[in-house]
Amino acid sequence: MALISLRELLDHAAENNYGVAAFNVNNLEQIQAIMEAAHETNSPVILQASRGARNYTNDIFFRLLLSCHPS
């Protein structure tokens, strides 16, 4: 699954009349479950982190978590 900009994703969704789910993630297990379901259904997803989760760790941590999942 490719990593693309939010603008590209939302433009494509609007042009093709579909919605995109956004999920708030806090750990690797959540990311794995969401990405596996997205892969099985061939569906794009938006992964996001709350301000509280980002304050608890940092943006670098979440970037590394996201990069750990095989595409």
Side-chain angles (χ1 to χ4, degrees):
M1 196 168 288
L3 181 62
I4 62 171
S5 73
L6 184 58
R7 173 60 26 214
E8 288 176 277
L9 177 58
L10 295 179
D11 285 348
H12 188 270
E15 291 168 6
N16 294 280
N17 299 315
Y18 66 89
V20 181
F23 298 93
N24 221 10
V25 296
N26 294 301
N27 58 47
L28 182 59
E29 291 79 12
Q30 291 174 339
I31 294 170
Q32 286 176 319
I34 293 164
M35 295 304 292
E36 286 175 15
H39 180 74
E40 287 176 13
T41 60
N42 196 31
S43 301
V45 293
I46 299 168
L47 298 178
Q48 55 192 25
S50 69
R51 183 180 306 273
R54 292 174 60 204
N55 286 341
Y56 180 72
T57 59
N58 60 48
D59 291 339
I60 295 169
F61 175 76
F62 281 108
R63 189 173 302 128
L64 290 172
L65 278 179
L66 294 173
S67 68
C68 287
H69 191 277
S71 296

